[in-house]
Amino acid sequence: MHYFKRYFLIIIITVLILLNIIPTPYFLVIPGQAVNLSENITVENGEKDAKGQFLLTSTAIIKANLLLYIYGFFDPNIDLKNSDDEILLNMEQKDYIDIMEKLMQESQMISKIVALRKAGYSPEISGQGMLINGILGNGPAKNKLLPDDVIIKINEQQIHTLEEFSEIIRDYNSNQIVRITYLRDNSTYSTSISLIKLPGTSDGFLFLV
């Protein structure tokens, strides 16, 4: 009986070690903290005791070994993503932060437009396309698009503003190839680019870069 318990313990430890070192083609999108910002934000003429909360949330992306995969499979709060797209796993932290900052700027701009419309205003939105500020070093747009290019069409759908770009791109799927028409040095060019999805955003935003 003593030997049986000893060998059983060894087997359990061996299985746990194997589960911890065997890789899988998945990564986990794990929810982080939800920080209440009510103490740090004031609204002019707002009600301090109004119902509701304004929370700052975060997510983490972790490569999944077999043990983490099993854990993520049974946890409804964890999203399992296939890691066939190595672009996201190999993304530099600086590139990821830059993307998050651009998403924040976009969200702020759209929020201002929505707020003005709700207040009864009709803000006039105009533009000649979506300006590209940067390209991921290992992204599908590398050697195809350059900073300062201006996207004017996606599959023949005209793009005038960032808002239009966001609305159109959400109708497509990850890894779908789209035809991009863009301006560079006052000349018009076209190229085909595969879309990638960025986990950790509220709507799984798709990126060309």
Side-chain angles (χ1 to χ4, degrees), residues 142-159:
K142 183 180 180 181
N143 300 324
K144 292 185 176 182
L145 298 177
L146 296 174
D148 296 328
D149 287 347
V150 178
I151 296 176
I152 58 175
K153 286 183 182 180
I154 299 178
N155 287 345
E156 303 307 319
Q157 290 182 276
Q158 197 73 34
I159 301 294

Side-chain angles (χ1 to χ4, degrees), residues 26-207:
Y26 292 89
F27 58 91
L28 308 180
V29 182
I30 303 174
Q33 290 183 324
V35 182
N36 192 342
L37 299 180
S38 59
E39 298 297 326
N40 302 314
I41 295 176
T42 57
V43 178
E44 187 176 352
N45 299 323
E47 297 181 23
K48 187 66 176 177
D49 297 327
K51 293 182 179 180
Q53 292 181 318
F54 186 56
L55 304 176
L56 175 65
T57 61
S58 62
T59 57
I61 302 174
I62 302 176
K63 288 184 179 181
N65 54 35
L66 192 53
L67 183 62
L68 288 175
Y69 174 83
I70 295 172
Y71 174 73
F73 184 82
F74 289 102
D75 191 330
N77 298 315
I78 294 178
D79 197 7
L80 282 171
K81 297 290 185 180
N82 195 298
S83 62
D84 289 340
D85 192 351
E86 291 294 327
I87 292 171
L88 296 176
L89 292 179
N90 296 325
M91 185 185 294
E92 295 290 338
Q93 185 178 16
K94 180 181 180 300
D95 291 334
Y96 186 83
I97 292 174
D98 287 343
I99 289 176
M100 291 295 100
E101 288 179 350
K102 289 181 177 63
L103 277 177
M104 177 62 73
Q105 292 170 5
E106 175 197 341
S107 178
Q108 291 171 342
M109 181 60 68
I110 293 176
S111 297
K112 291 176 182 178
I113 295 170
V114 171
L116 287 171
R117 288 173 178 170
K118 287 290 185 180
Y121 296 94
S122 299
E124 185 175 336
I125 305 170
S126 61
Q128 298 179 342
M130 193 195 76
L131 177 67
I132 296 177
N133 292 316
I135 301 293
L136 288 178
N138 59 346
K142 183 180 180 181
N143 300 324
K144 292 185 176 182
L145 298 177
L146 296 174
D148 296 328
D149 287 347
V150 178
I151 296 176
I152 58 175
K153 286 183 182 180
I154 299 178
N155 287 345
E156 303 307 319
Q157 290 182 276
Q158 197 73 34
I159 301 294
H160 297 98
T161 64
L162 178 61
E163 186 180 21
E164 289 181 356
F165 172 82
S166 300
E167 291 175 355
I168 291 173
I169 207 68
R170 287 187 175 93
D171 292 333
Y172 293 94
N173 299 316
S174 179
N175 298 320
Q176 187 171 349
I177 297 176
V178 295
R179 190 72 180 171
I180 301 299
T181 304
Y182 60 97
L183 298 176
R184 180 184 296 168
D185 299 328
N186 297 320
S187 297
T188 303
Y189 302 91
S190 293
T191 187
S192 295
I193 297 177
S194 176
L195 299 173
I196 61 174
K197 182 178 288 186
L198 183 66
T201 56
S202 59
D203 52 7
F205 197 88
L206 294 172
F207 283 89

